[in-house]
Structure formats: structure tokens, C-alpha cells
Amino acid sequence: TAARPARVVAPLRARVAGARPTAVVRSQSESQSDTGSEFSAKAQEAFNDASKFVKETWETTADAEKPAIIGILGAVVFVQIAIAACMDKIDKIPVLGDFFELVGVTVVGVYAYKLVTNPAQRADMQDTFDGVVTKMTGNAKMAGSSSPKKPAPPPAAPKPAASPAAAAPKADPAAPKATSS
């Protein structure tokens, strides 16, 4: 369905004496069903792509490894549930939740202060970040794009090779000559 055209509503006469009449414009956005169906189509496409990837990966996995994968996934789900339950219980203790929040803010503040005030640590952090980006994307151009690197110095020119005559020691004219008998 097409969006409805905007309507202009103008009062017939001013309600306040001496006030000029004004026009009010009201518009309606697209219907929610169009936006919902578009989102639904994109979500369905993303789900299909993900399930296709999982199926292809599962088929290429060796049969001996499949039970281990299922066990690891089960353990991860269990640990996530346990962590969430522990965090929920700790958060309900009045003093501990605020204490952990204070510790977190303090650690972030100290880390940010060191990073801002120490150029060597900043450069080290940039190198670490670039390494992670390169490792994850496999694209070396993306890493380091935020800060230009110094170009490497040009290699030194090689020295010319010495000729065998130049390498031989020269005879000293003042030295006595060897005689053969």
C-alpha cells in the first residue's frame, strides 16, 4: 500500500484576536506492516544464510569430531547460564554490586589515563589493535589505517666487489728481495 498524502489543516479563523492563521502539516509514515514485512524478509534471509553455513560446516566435519563439538557447545551454554545466574545473585547483594561497579570504573579510568599520558603505550596498543584487525579480517590494508606508519629507511647501497689484483698485497720496494737457490 502507498503512503497517504500529507493533509494541510488550516483554521478558518484565528482563535485569538489579532493572531495570524497558521497552517499545520500532518504526515503519516509508511504502514507498520510494510516495514515489518521488509524486516521479516531480511531476517529470514540472514537465518537461511546462517543455517546454510552451519550445515555445510557440519557436513565437512569428521564424524569423530562431532560428539566433541556437541559437548563443547553444551558446556558453553551451561557455563553462560551459570555465569548469568551468579551475576544476578551478586547484583542483588547491596554492597557488592556497587563495589564491583566502582572497581570497574576505577580500572577503566586508570587504564585510560595510562593510555592517554604514555605515547609508547599508545603506540603499543595501536600495534596490538592492528594485529588483531589483520588477524581477524586478513586484510592488512585496514589495519593501521588510522595512524600512518613511518616508512622504512632505504637499504644501503652495496659496495663494489674488489678485483683480485686490488686484493693482493703490494710489494714494498724497500723490502729485501727473496732469492731462490
Side-chain angles (χ1 to χ4, degrees), residues 4-18:
R4 295 182 184 173
R7 288 186 261 163
V8 177
V9 179
L12 295 176
R13 59 189 164 116
R15 296 181 189 254
V16 179

Side-chain angles (χ1 to χ4, degrees), residues 28-79:
Q28 277 186 320
S29 64
E30 295 181 33
S31 67
Q32 291 294 329
S33 63
D34 291 342
T35 307
S37 64
E38 182 179 313
F39 174 76
S40 176
K42 287 181 181 179
Q44 184 68 32
E45 182 181 343
F47 177 76
N48 289 339
D49 291 344
S51 64
K52 180 181 175 185
F53 173 76
V54 169
K55 286 178 185 176
E56 288 173 357
T57 305
W58 186 255
E59 289 172 0
T60 59
T61 304
D63 289 339
E65 295 174 349
K66 289 181 180 180
I69 292 172
I70 292 172
I72 290 171
L73 289 175
V76 166
V77 168
F78 176 77
V79 168

Side-chain angles (χ1 to χ4, degrees), residues 124-147 149:
D124 185 42
M125 174 58 106
Q126 182 67 39
D127 292 342
T128 303
F129 179 76
D130 291 344
V132 169
V133 168
T134 302
K135 194 175 193 180
M136 291 177 71
T137 61
N139 187 357
K141 284 195 289 186
M142 286 185 69
S145 60
S146 61
S147 65
K149 302 276 184 191

